[in-house]
Structure formats: structure tokens, C-alpha cells
């Protein structure tokens, strides 16, 4: 492929961000790197947090219509869910490297599905009939929306991906601490030198990484937009000097605000529905989107939920949520050096940790000191998380009256329990995959033994 073909056929699509952050600097660095490598004309598209999709330069060369946005939505959601499942399977794979191999195959498969899929269009006699009445555009818009809600192109592809992942044998009896990743948007959702390859490092050190989906950030933006509408409702009337007794204008302002809230609520419902539909198509083991209203309730006492910038109250709220819900042993916050919103969150985290004594929380900045110091700090915190995971498993084995060998022998006789998509539930008070799985396996083992005795 020639240089000009690359420039004509591809774009770099990434997220923009809040004022305090340095995504503008990131964008400048991307463009500098492209210019230095001879790709000065290569297009960089930004999805801005406060303004939708925006092309920094005048000519994007793309038609940013409904089809474009739906494709971006589907690609992003599928990427989130695949990433989640990948990080759930890899720490427990029996054959080293098999998960990454299957992931590469599945990404090629999904890429082909997305390339072949064509936008839904209104065709035939119905198109002509509605076109003559002037309703053609509206009908096509509705048709595209319904096709998104009920089409099976992506769910069928994810069913095939599910089957490929499900063929990977795993051993859930391995005791691994669960580490939840939070922090600055870019650092928590990427993997590379920008965050000292922290995810790979954690897995190498024997941890299971609980990654953060981009979908949480999208739901947060919708939630914040709704909150702003509620807070500012009626203020425009005060600015214009409209009397509160001017019932017509007061009522009109109220109706306008309600209409905006209704649209955003519909967006919340649709986005969540589409995300969870894809989760189920991929076996149902990926995590569902966290409820933004519960996160607001948890985080607001420590970090005002009206404060914008970066992840806002989410870092504080997620620390409380994932720790109190028994979803992780440790929370790791990643950020670039000097990231102001995340640093503000760290200040509030001291009060959080003081109130919730059992939390293990550690913030890491990708500073000029390099990865050695950062990895060392993480190792120290991870050591405590490993102790908790081991004690958790020890308590479970004692409570259930079985040994790890008993469980492993039982699982060996039941191959379905070695499949990644096998569901076993989550017990309150237990965090680790191994501990929860052993409880389920021991209960099933005892039930089968009792059934055998009863029959005998």
C-alpha cells in the first residue's frame, strides 16, 4: 500500500477531553509524529467531551452522518466488551498465549464483519411512495435506528467469537488478586509506554486486571449533561428579567428542559440496552455498565459531583463502589504526571481511605522517574492484595470442607467447568474468581455426592 493510499483510506480517531487535561497536547504530539514520519496530511479526528465529534481541521474528508456515528458506537462497544472478556480469561488460561491468539483471530473476524456491513437504506416501492410524500428522510432515519436496535449482524458475529473464546481451557482455581484500574481517561483505557505497560506488568505479577470501558465515560457525560439541565432550569428567565408570574414563559422553559431531559434519558436507555445486548451475545461474562446515579451517590460526599474536569467524581466513586461491592482487592489509579483533575481526586481519596479502612488504593503518575519506581510501588500494594486473596481462599476451603485438589479433580471430570463462559455466581463477601468458583464447585460436588448416596 502506498503512502497516498494510507492517507486517503485511513484516519486516526481518538478522544478529546476537558479543559484542565492535555488532550490538546496529545493531539499536537500525534500530528508532530505524523509530520516527522512523512504523513503530514494524515487526518486526526477528535471526539470531544464537550461538543460531539469535531474535526480540528476544516476538511475532514468524511461524511459524519448517522451511519458514521452508529458504526463508531458499535465499534467502541464491541471493543470494550472484547477487552473485558480478554482480561477475564487470560490470567486463568491453561495454555499460555492461547487467549491472545484467539483474540487476534476474533479481531480479524469482527473487522471483516464491520467492513462488509452496509448502512440500512429505504428501498423499493416504499421508498418511492414515502419520497413523494416528503417523509422519505424521516422513514429512513427511523429504519436505521430500528435496524440498530434489532439487527443481528454484530450479535451473530459475537456469538461466533463467544464460541472461539469458550474453547480456551481455563483453571479458575488459581488464586489471583483482582486489581481495578481507574484514573485519567487515556491512562486507564490504554496499554503501552504511556502507562508503563501496567496491565501486562500486573498480569505478570499474578494479578487479574479489571479494565475500565469507554462506555462508562459516555454514560458519565450524559449523566452530567442531565444534571446541568436540572441545575440551570429557569436561569435563562432570570437573566432576561422575566417575572416568575409570567406563567407562559415559565411553563415554556419548564417544558423545554423536560424535553431535553427526556432526550438524554432516552439516549441513556438506548446506549445501555445496546451495550448489554452485545454483552449477552458474547456469553454474558463481561461486566455491565455501572449505574451513574449510584456512583454519584457514593462519590458526592467526598467529591462534588458538579465539579467538571477529567473523570470528575468518578475516580472517588469507583474506588468506593468496587471495594464495597466485593469486586476487587485493590484499586490502581493511573494518570500522566501533573494531571490536575485526577490529582484533585487523589486529595479526596485520603478521606475515602480513612473512612473505608479495608481499602487498598494506590495512585500512580507516569513521571520522568520511569517505570521501575512505579512498578515497585505497585508491587508493594499488590503484595497486600495477594495476602488477602490467599486468606480468602483459605477461609473458603475451610468453610466448605474441601481441599483444592478435591475441587480440581471434580472440575477435571466436568469439562464444562473449564470453559470461560461457564457461570458460577458471585457470593457476597468474596472477591476473587478462585474463591467464588471454589464455593460453587464445592456445593455442586456435595450435591452430586448426596445424590449418589441417595440412589445407592
Amino acid at each position: 500500500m502506498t503512502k497516498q493510499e494510507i492517507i486517503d483510506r485511513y484516519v486516526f480517531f481518538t478522544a478529546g477531553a476537558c479543559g484542565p487535561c492535555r488532550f490538546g497536547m496529545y493531539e499536537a504530539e500525534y500530528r508532530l509524529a505524523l509530520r516527522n514520519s512523512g504523513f503530514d496530511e494524515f487526518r486526526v479526528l477528535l471526539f470531544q467531551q464537550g461538543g460531539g465529534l469535531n474535526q480540528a481541521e476544516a476538511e475532514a474528508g468524511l461524511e459524519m452522518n448517522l451511519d458514521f456515528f452508529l458504526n463508531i458506537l458499535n465499534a467502541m462497544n464491541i471493543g470494550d466488551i472484547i477487552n473485558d472478556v480478554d482480561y477475564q480469561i487470560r490470567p486463568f488460561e491453561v495454555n499460555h498465549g492461547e487467549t491472545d491468539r484467539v483474540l487476534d483471530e476474533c479481531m480479524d473476524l469482527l473487522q471483516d464483519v464491520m467492513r462488509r456491513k452496509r448502512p440500512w437504506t429505504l428501498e423499493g416501492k416504499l421508498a418511492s411512495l414515502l419520497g413523494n410524500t416528503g417523509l422519505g428522510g424521516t422513514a429512513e432515519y427511523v429504519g436505521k435506528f430500528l435496524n440498530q436496535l434489532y439487527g443481528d449482524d454484530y450479535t451473530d458475529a459475537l456469538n461466533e467469537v463467544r464460541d472461539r473464546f469458550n474453547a480456551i481451557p481455563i483453571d479458575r482455581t488459581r488464586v489471583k488478586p483482582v486489581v481495578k484500574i481507574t484514573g485519567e481517561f487515556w491512562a486507564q483505557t490504554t496499554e503501552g509506554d504511556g502507562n508503563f505497560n501496567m496491565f501486562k506488568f500486573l498480569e505478570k505479577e499474578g494479578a487479574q486486571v479489571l479494565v475500565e470501558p469507554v462506555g462508562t465515560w459516555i454514560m458519565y457525560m450524559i449523566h452530567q449533561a442531565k444534571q446541568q439541565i436540572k441545575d440551570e432550569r429557569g436561569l435563562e428567565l432570570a437573566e432576561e428579567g422575566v417575572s416568575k408570574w409570567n406563567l407562559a414563559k415559565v411553563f415554556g422553559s419548564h417544558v423545554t428542559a423536560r424535553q431535553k431531559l427526556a432526550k438524554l434519558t432516552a439516549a441513556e436507555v438506548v446506549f445501555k440496552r445496546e451495550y448489554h445486548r452485545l454483552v449477552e451475545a458474547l456469553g454474558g461474562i463481561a461486566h455491565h455498565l455501572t449505574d451513574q446515579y449510584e456512583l454519584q451517590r457514593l462519590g458526592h460526599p467526598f467529591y462534588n459531583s458538579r465539579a467538571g474536569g477529567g473523570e470528575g467524581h468518578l475516580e472517588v466513586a469507583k474506588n468506593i463502589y468496587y471495594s464495597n461491592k466485593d469486586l476487587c482487592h485493590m484499586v490502581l489509579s493511573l494518570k500522566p504526571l501533573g494531571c490536575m483533575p485526577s490529582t484533585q481526586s487523589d486529595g479526596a481519596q485520603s478521606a475515602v481511605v480513612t473512612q473505608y479502612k479495608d481499602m487498598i488504593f494506590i495512585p500512580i503518575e507516569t513521571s520522568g522517574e520511569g517505570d521501575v519506581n512505579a512498578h515497585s510501588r505497585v508491587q508493594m500494594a499488590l503484595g497486600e492484595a495477594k495476602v488477602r486473596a490467599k486468606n480468602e481462599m483459605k477461609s473458603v476451603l475451610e468453610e466448605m470442607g474441601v481441599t483444592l485438589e478435591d475441587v480440581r479433580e471434580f472440575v477435571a471430570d466436568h469439562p464444562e467447568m473449564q470453559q470461560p463462559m461457564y457461570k458460577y455466581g458471585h457470593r457476597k463477601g468474596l472477591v476473587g474468581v478462585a474463591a467464588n468458583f471454589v464455593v460453587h464447585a464445592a456445593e455442586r460436588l456435595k450435591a452430586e455426592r448426596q445424590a449418589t448416596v441417595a440412589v445407592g
Side-chain angles (χ1 to χ4, degrees):
M1 185 177 296
T2 66
K3 170 184 169 181
Q4 193 58 47
E5 286 177 329
I6 293 173
I7 292 173
D8 292 341
R9 294 177 58 185
Y10 296 93
V11 299
F12 179 65
F13 186 81
T14 187
C18 61
C21 280
R22 297 155 303 172
F23 268 97
M25 292 174 61
Y26 293 161
E27 180 196 354
E29 291 297 322
Y30 298 150
R31 294 185 185 280
L32 177 61
L34 288 165
R35 186 164 57 250
N36 291 342
S37 59
F39 288 85
D40 190 37
E41 298 177 3
F42 195 90
R43 290 162 293 175
V44 177
L45 298 181
L46 293 183
F47 185 82
Q48 295 287 4
Q49 178 170 339
L53 191 64
N54 179 35
Q55 170 64 11
E57 295 181 353
E59 296 297 331
L62 291 172
E63 184 181 355
M64 298 179 188
N65 52 24
L66 178 62
D67 294 320
F68 182 85
F69 280 101
L70 289 177
N71 287 334
I72 292 298
L73 172 73
N74 289 316
M76 192 163 52
N77 285 347
I78 290 173
D80 272 346
I81 296 163
I82 289 281
N83 197 41
D84 187 342
V85 170
D86 174 54
Y87 276 97
Q88 287 192 55
I89 296 175
R90 187 167 47 244
F92 304 98
E93 63 184 6
V94 173
N95 304 312
H96 179 69
E98 187 170 2
T99 306
D100 288 338
R101 178 185 61 77
V102 172
L103 175 64
D104 289 341
E105 294 176 357
C106 292
M107 293 302 286
D108 289 340
L109 183 153
L110 291 168
Q111 181 185 23
D112 289 339
V113 170
M114 290 182 179
R115 179 181 287 116
R116 292 195 307 267
K117 190 177 187 306
R118 292 292 175 264
W120 188 92
T121 57
L122 194 63
E123 298 176 343
K125 294 182 179 179
L126 183 61
S128 300
L129 177 63
L130 292 175
N132 293 332
T133 62
L135 297 175
T138 301
E140 182 155 308
Y141 187 93
V142 172
K144 290 178 184 295
F145 187 69
L146 293 175
N147 180 254
Q148 170 66 34
L149 293 178
Y150 300 105
D152 55 10
D153 299 85
Y154 295 130
T155 52
D156 286 349
L158 287 175
N159 287 160
E160 184 174 345
V161 170
R162 174 200 61 202
D163 294 339
R164 295 193 184 192
F165 272 125
N166 208 31
I168 303 171
I170 63 173
D171 177 11
R172 288 191 177 93
T173 62
R174 297 175 183 175
V175 180
K176 293 180 178 290
V178 181
V179 179
K180 172 60 185 175
I181 303 296
T182 65
E184 182 262 352
F185 175 77
W186 183 83
Q188 71 171 328
T189 55
T190 190
E191 169 70 12
D193 293 337
N195 62 1
F196 296 144
N197 296 284
M198 193 60 74
F199 300 174
K200 291 181 181 178
F201 174 76
L202 286 167
E203 289 189 341
K204 182 181 176 183
E205 291 295 310
Q208 177 190 353
V209 179
L210 184 55
V211 292
E212 183 65 28
V214 177
T216 302
W217 179 63
I218 293 175
M219 291 295 288
Y220 166 72
M221 288 193 294
I222 297 174
H223 176 268
Q224 291 298 91
K226 289 180 66 176
Q227 188 64 61
Q228 184 175 358
I229 292 170
K230 293 176 183 178
D231 291 343
E232 296 179 353
R233 183 166 49 196
L235 289 181
E236 77 281 1
L237 299 180
E239 291 177 355
E240 296 171 5
V242 177
S243 169
K244 65 179 180 180
W245 300 109
N246 189 333
L247 299 183
K249 287 198 172 182
V250 170
F251 181 73
S253 174
H254 180 78
V255 170
T256 299
R258 283 289 182 183
Q259 288 175 338
K260 292 179 180 178
L261 288 171
K263 290 177 182 178
L264 289 172
T265 299
E268 279 182 321
V269 172
V270 171
F271 185 83
K272 189 180 294 186
R273 175 194 183 277
E274 288 301 283
Y275 190 93
H276 294 161
R277 188 164 75 106
L278 296 176
V279 167
E280 294 307 314
L282 194 52
I285 67 169
H287 296 85
H288 283 205
L289 293 171
T290 311
D291 189 300
Q292 289 294 325
Y293 298 89
E294 183 168 6
L295 290 177
Q296 182 187 35
R297 179 182 63 81
L298 293 172
H300 187 79
F302 301 94
Y303 194 106
N304 195 301
S305 59
R306 268 71 168 183
E311 295 276 300
H313 63 274
L314 286 188
E315 287 192 57
V316 170
K318 284 188 282 191
N319 188 14
I320 300 171
Y321 180 88
Y322 283 92
S323 298
N324 278 11
K325 295 283 187 181
D326 304 317
L327 297 174
C328 72
H329 295 98
M330 165 182 157
V331 176
L332 172 61
S333 174
L334 299 172
K335 69 213 71 184
L337 176 64
C339 176
M340 186 169 66
S342 192
T343 302
Q344 291 176 175
S345 292
D346 289 346
Q349 297 283 15
S350 59
V352 175
V353 174
T354 299
Q355 181 163 331
Y356 299 91
K357 304 290 185 181
D358 294 333
M359 281 182 178
I360 303 177
F361 170 77
I362 177 171
I364 293 291
E365 285 190 329
T366 53
S367 65
E369 296 174 347
D371 57 353
V372 175
N373 182 56
H375 287 171
S376 296
R377 289 188 60 214
V378 171
Q379 278 179 321
M380 288 189 288
L382 190 59
E384 184 179 351
K386 286 181 178 180
V387 170
R388 290 192 182 183
K390 290 177 181 177
N391 290 338
E392 187 178 61
M393 174 61 88
K394 181 180 177 181
S395 298
V396 164
L397 291 173
E398 291 176 355
E399 178 189 345
M400 303 306 296
V402 296
T403 66
L404 209 52
E405 285 306 313
D406 291 335
V407 173
R408 286 172 176 163
E409 289 177 6
F410 181 75
V411 171
D413 293 333
H414 297 77
E416 75 278 4
M417 299 180 75
Q418 301 172 46
Q419 296 176 335
M421 305 302 164
Y422 179 79
K423 295 184 175 63
Y424 52 91
H426 183 274
R427 180 174 175 179
K428 184 173 176 57
L430 295 180
V431 177
V433 166
N436 280 287
F437 181 72
V438 164
V439 168
H440 169 79
E443 289 175 345
R444 185 173 167 182
L445 169 61
K446 290 179 181 179
E448 290 193 13
R449 283 177 176 174
Q450 291 173 356
T452 301
V453 171
V455 172

